[in-house]
Amino acid sequence: MNSRRRFLSLSALGSLTGLGTVKAFAQEKSVNGSVILSTWNIGIRANVRANEVLESGGSVLDCVEKGVNLIENDPNAGTVGIGGFPDEEGHVTLDACIMDSAQRCGSVAFLQHIKNPVSVARKVMEETKHVMLVGEGALNFALKHGFKKEILLTERSLAGWKKRIAERDDQLPEINVENHDTIGMVARDANGNLAGSCTTSGAGMKLHGRVGDSPIIGAGLYVDNDVGAACATGWGEAVIENAGSAMVVELMRHGRSPQEACEEIVQRIANKFQEWKPIQVGFIALNKVGETDGFAIQEGFTYAHHSGGQNQSIKSKSLLKRDA
Ligand code: GLY
């Protein structure tokens, strides 16, 4: 029986008999141990860090946090953490969320001056009764928990912003492999436990105060430890309107492979979002047994896959081709 069919029938059985069957299947297939999947080519470096964390005994939650921290800390990464692309008023405002294998989640949005929003999101998850903090409240919470206030605007990001203002370029920058907008990571440890993270400075030249999909649980990220995990990158409004990542996970629950689930949601966005042709939206997904894939609207989306000691960049399949 091919793996998809087997997962399907066992998932159905699992819903009748409890979750034991799905878990047993995960163990049966768990040959290569951990799997780490993250968006764009920057994911390669993030995966290396994430894997180090797992290998040194960290949890899968530590792995997805520390992996993306590496990119948040890089002032040249472009649209994440320090050096993230400013909004139309020249402010760097960050969105992030994190989710663990116990269905716990934390999120921050419109956070300024703190370069690791995903770690603040983890604190929200672990230290409060809430899921999401925004703006000044999120900043004060971060400062209270020992995060350092920093200037996130770099010479490079300021120069890019000034150029766009001077050119009166009110078009949103194209989101693609040279200009990614988000790092999202989903991972599975050797025991089959899942976690995910997502962090971004959001769409460049966004309105001041705009929040995208990345900190919205179910849109930018979703994890269900019995089924799988997914995260999104690209035009956040289209992802939010379609509850993108939660839908990808839900489709996997109903037997779709990661590729089928990602493709179906990208197609749904194309069917429903009026102006889908010029935008980019991409999803990556990982199921309970460690199968992975991605799918995007435009060509050019890449993701990084780490498993069995190998870390590679994969070109995503897409709905549209560049010359179409
Ligand atoms: N996907 C990131 C954003 O739209 O802000």
Side-chain angles (χ1 to χ4, degrees):
M1 193 184 290
N2 73 29
S3 65
R4 191 193 147 223
R5 236 176 233 294
R6 183 153 167 70
F7 186 55
L8 184 67
S9 56
L10 284 168
S11 297
L13 196 58
S15 64
L16 294 176
T17 60
L19 298 169
T21 315
V22 176
K23 280 191 181 133
F25 177 53
Q27 277 154 16
E28 182 193 310
K29 288 272 296 183
S30 175
V31 236
N32 287 333
S34 63
V35 181
I36 305 165
L37 195 67
S38 55
T39 55
W40 304 106
N41 288 338
I42 45 166
I44 290 283
R45 285 191 291 139
N47 284 1
V48 170
R49 176 75 190 112
N51 187 56
E52 282 166 5
V53 171
L54 275 184
E55 287 199 338
S56 60
S59 66
V60 68
L61 184 67
D62 297 331
C63 147
V64 297
E65 178 196 4
K66 306 295 176 208
V68 302
N69 279 162
L70 186 90
I71 310 303
E72 291 177 329
N73 292 340
D74 177 355
N76 295 316
T79 56
V80 179
I82 190 161
F85 206 81
D87 64 20
E88 67 168 13
E89 294 183 13
H91 303 286
V92 179
T93 75
L94 304 177
D95 297 337
C97 72
I98 194 160
M99 199 160 176
D100 77 0
S101 47
Q103 203 85 14
R104 296 185 310 163
C105 41
S107 160
V108 290
F110 191 51
L111 174 64
Q112 299 187 61
H113 311 301
I114 305 290
K115 73 178 175 191
N116 295 127
V118 80
S119 298
V120 184
R122 181 170 176 175
K123 282 273 178 230
V124 174
M125 177 176 92
E126 291 180 334
E127 308 282 335
T128 79
K129 294 180 186 140
H130 309 303
V131 167
M132 188 170 197
L133 293 179
V134 304
E136 207 182 324
L139 174 61
N140 290 338
F141 172 83
L143 296 174
K144 215 181 282 175
H145 285 81
F147 290 86
K148 208 171 104 214
K149 193 168 181 176
E150 289 180 64
I151 296 170
L152 301 183
L153 203 56
T154 57
E155 271 181 34
R156 186 170 176 261
S157 62
L158 182 61
W161 177 79
K162 281 185 174 161
K163 186 165 173 279
R164 295 190 77 84
I165 294 289
E167 289 167 354
R168 295 176 186 278
D169 185 354
D170 59 359
Q171 296 295 306
L172 292 161
E174 183 197 0
I175 298 167
N176 231 315
V177 69
E178 307 82 13
N179 180 33
H180 63 85
D181 73 320
T182 305
I183 178 147
M185 177 179 283
V186 288
R188 170 186 179 274
D189 67 17
N191 298 318
N193 286 315
L194 310 177
S197 61
C198 189
T199 177
T200 187
S201 58
M205 304 303 279
K206 63 189 177 185
L207 289 177
H208 188 60
R210 179 263 192 189
V211 170
D213 61 312
S214 302
I216 311 288
I217 301 296
L221 175 72
Y222 199 68
V223 178
D224 183 324
N225 203 48
D226 297 324
V227 177
C231 68
T233 182
W235 185 240
E237 282 70 5
V239 178
I240 294 171
E241 286 175 12
N242 290 277
S245 295
M247 289 300 167
V248 170
V249 172
E250 210 48 34
L251 287 173
M252 292 195 290
R253 188 194 310 279
H254 291 280
R256 307 292 200 287
S257 68
Q259 196 264 326
E260 288 167 334
C262 293
E263 181 170 355
E264 189 165 332
I265 295 307
V266 167
Q267 185 65 62
R268 194 178 297 175
I269 289 173
N271 293 345
K272 293 196 169 180
F273 192 79
Q274 296 281 315
E275 295 167 37
W276 65 276
K277 278 203 169 154
I279 63 166
Q280 176 62 305
V281 170
F283 290 96
I284 55 172
L286 158 73
N287 68 15
K288 182 71 178 170
V289 298
E291 294 168 329
T292 61
D293 221 320
F295 201 85
I297 292 181
Q298 315 284 343
E299 257 187 343
F301 174 46
T302 61
Y303 55 94
H305 178 275
H306 191 298
S307 164
Q310 292 217 322
N311 191 20
Q312 52 180 327
S313 174
I314 298 175
K315 280 188 185 159
S316 167
K317 293 171 240 31
S318 61
L319 211 54
L320 296 177
K321 307 287 168 230
R322 269 193 210 289
D323 49 7

